Amino acid sequence: MSSALSLETCYPLLITASLETLLRPGYHQGYDVYLTSNVIFKCIRSEVKVMWGYIEYLKDPHLVLYVQQFFGVSFKEEKKNHLKKNDKLLFKETEVLSDDSDNHKFSNNHYYDKSNSEELSSDSDSEKKNYKINNFFWYYVFVLGTELGDEIFYATFIPFWFWNIDGAVGRRIVMVWTIVMYIGQGLKDIICWPRPSSPPVFRLQKKWIMEYGMPSTHAMVAISIPFSVLLYTMQRYEYPFLIGLCVAVLWCWVVSVSRLYLGMHTVADVIAGIILALVLLIPLVPLVDFMDMFLLTSRWSPIILLTISICVIVFHPKDKIWTPTRGDTAMIVSVCVGIHIGAWTNYQLGQMSESPLSPPYTIIWPNYEMLGLVFLRSALGFSCILATRAICKSACYATLSTLGVSTEPIETPSSLKNTIDLIFKYITYSLIGFNTLHLLPSTFKMLSIDRPTFYTEI
């Protein structure tokens, strides 16, 4: 760092050189311009170099290993004799060491020779068996925590929120979630940074191993969902703001650390995801608040939503190597479209009206009767969602078989299969979103198990 210009030396040099140049009678001459430009260039290059050094440090997989070891994941020493010799894994009873050489990296249990071995894939035997869990409390906390950013959570949290809590807040949360996820997923296929290498990292999860790592969309969701809930409800309902803030921070911490604990992201991935989501929330929260009312009342909403959603899926960034990112993005976008078209349908049919009360509203805690209705709505609603998904999936397989395209899962699907899969994901999840907001609430009302305030939440 001594050879590079620091901030303290950069700015005085820049100011001095600029003043000398400006005070000279012939400062427009080439040499003077070159002098000033050269100082500016050195300053910028120095700061970029320092910044990139920090980023490279945060990308180090050994930082992830430190987090895993701190929470009780260690090397399974009894299996060391079963590892392949080609992996060059040697075991040491030492503390964590660092080596200036590019060929070796050490941990407290083992080191490997990078010059003669390649990164282990998620399917290698040594990766499957090379760790043990010493603290199952943290294991279950982080395994459950990472589910707060997975498809199962979205598929249950979003419908449950609409049917049982607040539709107006729900629409806004879904829009924020969709925009944040689209940007995060797109950046993954633009930046194309791999996930942390294993070894040295212990890979405790393999679900998203085929996607790139930067930024962590789990970390982005861990910011966007709880904090958008907090921001959209703090003036709508009466509750202690500090408690809501603590819940949101705890939610974010558990999900973010879980990605390090499971070996799925570097520290740089997680920090970038958190910062990006926080920056996006600043303009998104007021913008989405305005957009929601427009999409609910404008007669052109379905055309606008369908056109924009199809365009963003078609022109989604993609790398030369196939990843499931585009398909996941199509699912997220289509759910948002279906939900907003469903809400628009309710409004256009005259089913929605302003609440006679004005916010902030008092939170009504459920009694036994209300809990029973929550159970009935959830059971019936999720059954219909599963049926919709199953029917559409069968239709997709039938179409693929008719066109002679294999329905077996393969690492790199054909272009035709990808296109058909995107189309059916778009149709399937748009229908699920539409049914969640229009068909199922109408059914609940017909069966007299509806939530009384559902159609007043504009």
Tab-separated table of all heavy atoms in Angstrom, residues 399-418:
chain	number	residue	atom	x	y	z
A	399	THR	N	-47.110	-31.118	-23.842
A	399	THR	CA	-46.656	-30.327	-24.995
A	399	THR	C	-45.245	-30.714	-25.407
A	399	THR	O	-44.942	-30.863	-26.599
A	399	THR	CB	-46.699	-28.825	-24.648
A	399	THR	OG1	-48.028	-28.470	-24.247
A	399	THR	CG2	-46.290	-27.986	-25.851
A	400	LEU	N	-44.356	-30.878	-24.436
A	400	LEU	CA	-42.983	-31.286	-24.737
A	400	LEU	C	-42.935	-32.655	-25.410
A	400	LEU	O	-42.187	-32.864	-26.367
A	400	LEU	CB	-42.149	-31.303	-23.449
A	400	LEU	CG	-41.834	-29.944	-22.818
A	400	LEU	CD1	-41.188	-30.127	-21.452
A	400	LEU	CD2	-40.914	-29.127	-23.722
A	401	SER	N	-43.739	-33.585	-24.911
A	401	SER	CA	-43.773	-34.926	-25.499
A	401	SER	C	-44.307	-34.887	-26.926
A	401	SER	O	-43.813	-35.587	-27.810
A	401	SER	CB	-44.634	-35.852	-24.636
A	401	SER	OG	-44.099	-35.960	-23.331
A	402	THR	N	-45.321	-34.050	-27.159
A	402	THR	CA	-45.891	-33.925	-28.501
A	402	THR	C	-44.865	-33.397	-29.486
A	402	THR	O	-44.812	-33.825	-30.648
A	402	THR	CB	-47.114	-32.979	-28.468
A	402	THR	OG1	-48.080	-33.491	-27.538
A	402	THR	CG2	-47.747	-32.868	-29.844
A	403	LEU	N	-44.016	-32.468	-29.007
A	403	LEU	CA	-42.987	-31.881	-29.878
A	403	LEU	C	-41.720	-32.718	-29.940
A	403	LEU	O	-40.750	-32.342	-30.608
A	403	LEU	CB	-42.639	-30.475	-29.384
A	403	LEU	CG	-43.785	-29.447	-29.441
A	403	LEU	CD1	-43.351	-28.144	-28.790
A	403	LEU	CD2	-44.205	-29.195	-30.889
A	404	GLY	N	-41.732	-33.855	-29.239
A	404	GLY	CA	-40.567	-34.740	-29.270
A	404	GLY	C	-39.416	-34.271	-28.431
A	404	GLY	O	-38.261	-34.676	-28.647
A	405	VAL	N	-39.664	-33.415	-27.448
A	405	VAL	CA	-38.615	-32.907	-26.567
A	405	VAL	C	-38.610	-33.722	-25.287
A	405	VAL	O	-39.662	-33.970	-24.692
A	405	VAL	CB	-38.833	-31.415	-26.238
A	405	VAL	CG1	-37.727	-30.901	-25.324
A	405	VAL	CG2	-38.904	-30.599	-27.510
A	406	SER	N	-37.443	-34.146	-24.852
A	406	SER	CA	-37.326	-34.961	-23.649
A	406	SER	C	-37.771	-34.180	-22.423
A	406	SER	O	-37.437	-33.007	-22.264
A	406	SER	CB	-35.882	-35.432	-23.469
A	406	SER	OG	-35.734	-36.094	-22.227
A	407	THR	N	-38.519	-34.855	-21.554
A	407	THR	CA	-38.965	-34.230	-20.306
A	407	THR	C	-38.054	-34.578	-19.135
A	407	THR	O	-38.295	-34.141	-18.012
A	407	THR	CB	-40.401	-34.682	-19.973
A	407	THR	OG1	-40.427	-36.124	-19.870
A	407	THR	CG2	-41.373	-34.232	-21.039
A	408	GLU	N	-37.001	-35.346	-19.403
A	408	GLU	CA	-36.065	-35.704	-18.347
A	408	GLU	C	-35.207	-34.490	-17.981
A	408	GLU	O	-34.789	-33.746	-18.862
A	408	GLU	CB	-35.163	-36.854	-18.798
A	408	GLU	CG	-35.910	-38.157	-19.048
A	408	GLU	CD	-36.561	-38.703	-17.794
A	408	GLU	OE1	-35.947	-38.557	-16.708
A	408	GLU	OE2	-37.672	-39.238	-17.891
A	409	PRO	N	-34.930	-34.304	-16.674
A	409	PRO	CA	-34.072	-33.172	-16.274
A	409	PRO	C	-32.644	-33.375	-16.750
A	409	PRO	O	-32.046	-34.420	-16.526
A	409	PRO	CB	-34.154	-33.197	-14.740
A	409	PRO	CG	-34.553	-34.598	-14.385
A	409	PRO	CD	-35.401	-35.094	-15.528
A	410	ILE	N	-32.090	-32.387	-17.441
A	410	ILE	CA	-30.716	-32.442	-17.925
A	410	ILE	C	-30.007	-31.164	-17.530
A	410	ILE	O	-30.643	-30.157	-17.205
A	410	ILE	CB	-30.661	-32.636	-19.460
A	410	ILE	CG1	-31.449	-31.539	-20.176
A	410	ILE	CG2	-31.161	-34.000	-19.861
A	410	ILE	CD1	-31.387	-31.623	-21.683
A	411	GLU	N	-28.675	-31.202	-17.555
A	411	GLU	CA	-27.892	-30.062	-17.081
A	411	GLU	C	-28.049	-28.841	-17.974
A	411	GLU	O	-28.140	-27.722	-17.508
A	411	GLU	CB	-26.418	-30.462	-17.000
A	411	GLU	CG	-25.545	-29.397	-16.392
A	411	GLU	CD	-24.124	-29.864	-16.163
A	411	GLU	OE1	-23.902	-31.093	-16.172
A	411	GLU	OE2	-23.236	-29.008	-15.992
A	412	THR	N	-28.119	-29.062	-19.284
A	412	THR	CA	-28.265	-27.946	-20.224
A	412	THR	C	-29.450	-28.223	-21.150
A	412	THR	O	-29.290	-28.888	-22.173
A	412	THR	CB	-26.985	-27.751	-21.056
A	412	THR	OG1	-25.873	-27.643	-20.167
A	412	THR	CG2	-27.089	-26.501	-21.905
A	413	PRO	N	-30.653	-27.751	-20.812
A	413	PRO	CA	-31.823	-28.004	-21.651
A	413	PRO	C	-31.685	-27.342	-23.018
A	413	PRO	O	-30.964	-26.361	-23.192
A	413	PRO	CB	-32.973	-27.365	-20.853
A	413	PRO	CG	-32.442	-27.196	-19.474
A	413	PRO	CD	-30.980	-26.990	-19.617
A	414	SER	N	-32.407	-27.897	-24.000
A	414	SER	CA	-32.380	-27.333	-25.347
A	414	SER	C	-33.103	-25.996	-25.374
A	414	SER	O	-33.865	-25.653	-24.465
A	414	SER	CB	-33.042	-28.304	-26.327
A	414	SER	OG	-34.416	-28.449	-26.011
A	415	SER	N	-32.870	-25.242	-26.448
A	415	SER	CA	-33.499	-23.927	-26.583
A	415	SER	C	-35.025	-24.053	-26.639
A	415	SER	O	-35.743	-23.250	-26.038
A	415	SER	CB	-32.977	-23.243	-27.849
A	415	SER	OG	-33.615	-22.005	-28.044
A	416	LEU	N	-35.519	-25.070	-27.357
A	416	LEU	CA	-36.971	-25.267	-27.460
A	416	LEU	C	-37.570	-25.599	-26.101
A	416	LEU	O	-38.625	-25.063	-25.719
A	416	LEU	CB	-37.269	-26.390	-28.460
A	416	LEU	CG	-38.753	-26.752	-28.652
A	416	LEU	CD1	-39.551	-25.550	-29.121
A	416	LEU	CD2	-38.900	-27.926	-29.616
A	417	LYS	N	-36.888	-26.481	-25.365
A	417	LYS	CA	-37.398	-26.846	-24.043
A	417	LYS	C	-37.390	-25.646	-23.114
A	417	LYS	O	-38.328	-25.446	-22.319
A	417	LYS	CB	-36.559	-27.980	-23.451
A	417	LYS	CG	-37.091	-28.476	-22.106
A	417	LYS	CD	-36.326	-29.667	-21.591
A	417	LYS	CE	-36.916	-30.139	-20.263
A	417	LYS	NZ	-36.205	-31.312	-19.716
A	418	ASN	N	-36.347	-24.833	-23.186
A	418	ASN	CA	-36.280	-23.624	-22.360
A	418	ASN	C	-37.442	-22.684	-22.660
A	418	ASN	O	-38.070	-22.129	-21.757
A	418	ASN	CB	-34.963	-22.889	-22.600
A	418	ASN	CG	-33.850	-23.386	-21.702
A	418	ASN	OD1	-34.111	-23.899	-20.632
A	418	ASN	ND2	-32.625	-23.251	-22.151
